Amino acid sequence: MNLAGILNQNNLNRQQRESVLGWALILPAVLIILSLILYPIIYNIYLSFFDVNLEGGNTYIGLDNYSNVVFDSVFWNSVYTTILYVLFTTIGTTLLGLIVALAMNKEFPLRGLVRSLILLPYVAPVISVVFAWKFIFDPVNGIFMDITYEKLGMFSERFNMIGTPEYAVWVAILFSIWKGFPFAYLMILSRLQAIDATLYEAAEIDGANRWEKFKSITFPEVYFVVGAIVLLRIIWNFNKFEDIYLLTRNVKVLAVYTYFKAFTGYMEMGQGASLAVIQFLLLIGFILFYVKRVLKW
Amino acid sequence: MKKAILIILASLLILLPLSVFAGGAEEVQEAGPVSFDFWTTETQSDRMATIQVLIDTYTTLYPDVSINLVAVDENDLATHVQTASAAGTLPAMFEAPAETAVAFGVEGILDTAAVTDIVNGIGKDKFYQGALKVLETSAKDGYYALPYHGWVQGLWYRADWFEEAGLEPPATWEATLKAAKYFYKPDENQYGILVGTKPEGYAEQCFTPIAMANNAALFDKDGKLVFNSPEMKEAVEYYAELAKYNPPGPQTWRARDYYLQGKLAMFYYSTYIMDDLALQEVAAGSLTSENFENLKGSGFDPELVDKTKLAPIMTNKASAGYGTVVAFGLFNQDDSAKTAAAKNFIKYLYTQNAYITFLHMAPGGMNPMLKEISTNARFQNDPKGIFKHYGAEKMGEIIQGLDSIETFSIVDGNRMEAASVITAQQIIPQMLYKVTQEGMDVDKAMAWAEGEMEKLVK
């Protein structure tokens, strides 16, 4: 029976008919969401309790995957790397975005051009900028070593900034800040432009200096935008994979560690699934806390 | 470029039907249209273009067949295959290094009967026996995949530098380490040697002949894992020592550019490098100081090919060489028409003209597995002039070398399938990375690797 048929049945009143129509109209969207979002999540949670065998025949092993993951020191290393990465990239992108937005809010010649050029790192494809960065930091031919070691003599020897394990995470952080700050800049700038100029005029009459104006007017005005940007950045970077993996494979944040666990070597799909669940729980816990305390919803 | 492809296509079209029919008209064409995927590890765009030309030629002859060429990075192949296998979406046909193909065979996802059938059709005795041996099933009743081309690896070195310094060629552990130390001058942006230290297949390719030269093995002849041995430990320690004279940080084969720029004394590489050494335009396309004139180092040296020599064998307690056979294989399919079509396509690729066109993608690097092709005049007259440059005799030696390939997976003539699985999962490269880059203690790293290997063997 088609939709018109159901709607024309005379035992439904007008309100009921509208409600049937409403459900019918959102049904395709609901089905898509259920099948594409909810099903994979539930299946992933289901897999995390099994020893997964790719040729079929999963065995239920309870919480073994979780205990195997949590009692592995590599896991805690990757939690530490993730926190380091998220913390510094979030602070870096937000601060840099704020500073650049404040500067771009002033009048100066060619402002329109400069404003759009700043967006370049954000809109350029990851893979092409990753290759450019690899060239820049190449230990033998790269421009970075040429300037810092050859020309300025800042280091005692050439070294591989991207590849060396102890520096790699800092390059990844630097890369993420460079690539992500235009987003914060864009959001903050648009909020800045909406601040009423009379507020600043009134503050000047009261004799406020620059810092006081920033503290009492600008900051409260952009507070919630910054709060939202920080939240988004934390969510994005907590799950960040492609930037880090393409740039250097030895920065094992949780997302990269999960990939290695689940899809390379002796493929531990079940443990990979449990890692994803742990990551999800950590993130949800943090978001709930953040939304309550910082965004004060 | 387009014109060239058209000309090749046209000439193949003219020549091909002849050779196909000459080869035997017993080919049975499948009923109805059939389409299959072909995964290749030749990811470079110009190589893909050549394979596409062959596919286009074939599908013109057989309009009912369509072939979808997919490029997969060699280092990601095992991962992709495992996931595709779980999802039931394996391609009908693939190209992969022999070790990887054997690992797939051990998992039971290969159609060995169909492959063996092709080998018998072509004639076992027409192949180089060493190459077939690498791909033989453990029951010795068939083959996991078909050897199609192969390369030999060795230590390429600056013969002129060695001569000037009065050093022995890097054919032994001692001479190699001595030379690496001698030429390591980081202040002048010059490095002693390139061995793989990134956790990728290249590291194992460099490590294998070094370890085998010390009689180190993964398995004994009874198939018992004997990885954690004093010989292996010595080899890992020696490798870590060599890696100190590498360019800074984790390195892989891409650093061969440093050699072309005159910043490196020795590097492990396959015969694929012959191309780059002999042809200035190829090398100029890479990162040279000609393109970046402010950078320290010398420009591309057109005489480099004459100053370069190859040490294919490493000697310590024993002697070992290394090379890889690249093979075509067939994954099990639900639809037998796909396998039949892929089988036919492989047979076509073994016909003379198609074969030579394929191998000419990388003369020197891609060497034939059929004896009659290696002496074929058209094969020896390659478009890049590599044969002319190096001489047919030297090239012949390289191809002959493929007959005596040694790897961890062949012990006393017995194939150790578990060794291929270990290679496919890149456990040794990861261990070498831990030792050389993360500064992990050799014993600890080897214990880790042994643990991972035991998981796989089990």
Side-chain angles (χ1 to χ4, degrees), chain B residues 265-330:
Chain B
M266 294 177 273
F267 69 118
Y268 267 109
Y269 214 84
S270 65
T271 39
Y272 275 101
I273 199 71
M274 296 171 110
D275 219 13
D276 292 6
L277 284 174
L279 300 161
Q280 188 169 7
E281 58 270 41
V282 179
S286 73
L287 192 67
T288 68
S289 43
E290 225 163 87
N291 300 336
F292 299 87
E293 52 187 35
N294 290 326
L295 297 181
K296 203 174 178 181
S298 51
F300 179 76
D301 181 354
E303 246 100 82
L304 193 59
V305 62
D306 299 321
K307 297 173 179 168
T308 299
K309 278 190 179 162
L310 171 67
I313 305 291
M314 178 56 86
T315 307
N316 195 40
K317 291 173 186 166
S319 292
Y322 185 77
T324 285
V325 169
V326 182
F328 286 143
L330 300 165

Side-chain angles (χ1 to χ4, degrees), chain B residues 142-383:
Chain B
Y143 301 95
Y144 287 125
L146 291 125
Y148 195 66
H149 57 94
W151 48 264
V152 175
Q153 177 194 267
L155 202 46
W156 298 81
Y157 65 101
R158 281 295 292 258
D160 56 331
W161 292 5
F162 273 72
E163 203 170 309
E164 206 180 303
L167 288 166
E168 295 279 315
T172 63
W173 270 31
E174 201 190 337
T176 308
L177 184 60
K178 196 174 163 196
K181 258 184 207 164
Y182 182 87
F183 291 116
Y184 182 71
K185 294 169 186 165
D187 294 344
E188 298 166 30
N189 208 8
Q190 178 189 307
Y191 304 91
I193 192 168
L194 170 66
V195 290
T197 46
K198 258 195 186 175
E200 296 184 0
Y202 175 70
E204 182 159 339
Q205 289 163 13
C206 301
F207 179 72
T208 304
I210 288 176
M212 295 194 71
N214 203 40
N215 282 329
L218 289 185
F219 293 94
D220 65 10
K221 63 180 192 312
D222 305 318
K224 200 172 140 253
L225 187 67
V226 291
F227 167 76
N228 211 339
S229 64
E231 289 85 6
M232 188 62 85
K233 191 182 169 191
E234 272 173 30
V236 176
E237 281 167 346
Y238 174 76
Y239 195 85
E241 183 68 22
L242 271 187
K244 285 184 187 158
Y245 308 103
N246 249 9
Q251 294 294 349
T252 182
W253 59 271
R254 287 185 193 278
R256 59 96 197 262
D257 280 358
Y258 304 152
Y259 183 86
L260 300 178
Q261 297 160 5
K263 296 171 182 170
L264 199 57
M266 294 177 273
F267 69 118
Y268 267 109
Y269 214 84
S270 65
T271 39
Y272 275 101
I273 199 71
M274 296 171 110
D275 219 13
D276 292 6
L277 284 174
L279 300 161
Q280 188 169 7
E281 58 270 41
V282 179
S286 73
L287 192 67
T288 68
S289 43
E290 225 163 87
N291 300 336
F292 299 87
E293 52 187 35
N294 290 326
L295 297 181
K296 203 174 178 181
S298 51
F300 179 76
D301 181 354
E303 246 100 82
L304 193 59
V305 62
D306 299 321
K307 297 173 179 168
T308 299
K309 278 190 179 162
L310 171 67
I313 305 291
M314 178 56 86
T315 307
N316 195 40
K317 291 173 186 166
S319 292
Y322 185 77
T324 285
V325 169
V326 182
F328 286 143
L330 300 165
F331 285 117
N332 288 329
Q333 298 289 304
D334 292 332
D335 183 358
S336 64
K338 289 189 184 208
T339 303
K343 227 173 126 177
N344 240 359
F345 179 59
I346 292 180
K347 283 183 197 162
Y348 158 71
L349 289 175
Y350 276 102
T351 57
Q352 204 181 73
N353 289 304
Y355 206 165
I356 292 171
T357 305
F358 195 106
L359 298 175
H360 278 177
M361 277 193 255
M366 290 181 176
N367 296 296
M369 293 290 145
L370 292 183
K371 292 175 205 159
E372 62 186 31
I373 300 288
S374 62
T375 50
N376 181 297
R378 233 196 91 208
F379 170 65
Q380 293 184 345
N381 185 18
D382 64 283

Side-chain angles (χ1 to χ4, degrees), chain B residues 128 387 391-401:
Chain B
Y128 283 107
F387 270 85
E393 201 176 315
K394 198 169 177 181
M395 296 298 284
E397 278 172 31
I398 288 171
I399 298 171
Q400 289 299 326

Side-chain angles (χ1 to χ4, degrees), chain A residues 136-259:
Chain A
I136 292 170
F137 289 107
D138 184 289
V140 177
N141 291 318
I143 194 81
F144 176 76
M145 271 298 137
D146 190 55
I147 291 174
T148 55
Y149 168 78
E150 210 68 55
K151 304 252 158 50
L152 301 176
M154 282 165 64
F155 306 111
S156 61
E157 57 176 11
R158 284 173 181 266
F159 61 97
N160 192 333
M161 190 85 172
I162 290 185
T164 313
E166 60 257 46
Y167 304 124
V169 65
W170 297 105
V171 178
I173 287 170
L174 210 62
F175 179 80
S176 172
I177 293 175
W178 173 79
K179 188 142 178 55
F181 90 87
F183 178 76
Y185 144 80
L186 204 64
M187 295 295 125
I188 296 171
L189 182 63
S190 56
R191 185 71 196 89
L192 282 177
Q193 286 170 341
I195 300 176
D196 196 341
T198 55
L199 290 173
Y200 291 104
E201 287 166 14
E204 267 166 41
I205 292 168
D206 288 343
N209 62 22
R210 278 180 160 206
W211 168 245
E212 282 165 343
K213 276 194 281 182
F214 175 78
K215 198 182 67 175
S216 307
I217 303 170
T218 314
F219 188 68
E221 288 282 340
V222 299
Y223 178 81
F224 286 102
V225 172
V226 171
I229 294 170
V230 167
L231 180 64
L232 280 175
R233 181 59 58 195
I234 288 172
I235 295 173
W236 287 339
N237 279 6
F238 196 81
N239 293 323
K240 186 60 87 186
F241 178 80
E242 70 279 17
D243 293 11
I244 304 168
Y245 183 76
L246 289 174
L247 192 66
T248 164
R249 296 191 180 188
N250 50 21
V251 176
K252 292 211 173 89
V253 292
L254 275 172
V256 175
Y257 179 58
T258 306
Y259 169 77

Side-chain angles (χ1 to χ4, degrees), chain A residues 2-23:
Chain A
N2 60 23
L3 187 59
I6 299 174
L7 290 176
N8 286 331
Q9 274 176 347
N10 44 16
N11 54 359
L12 295 174
N13 66 27
R14 186 187 160 80
Q15 210 183 354
Q16 283 171 321
R17 283 217 300 271
E18 272 193 4
S19 128
V20 169
L21 179 67
W23 279 108

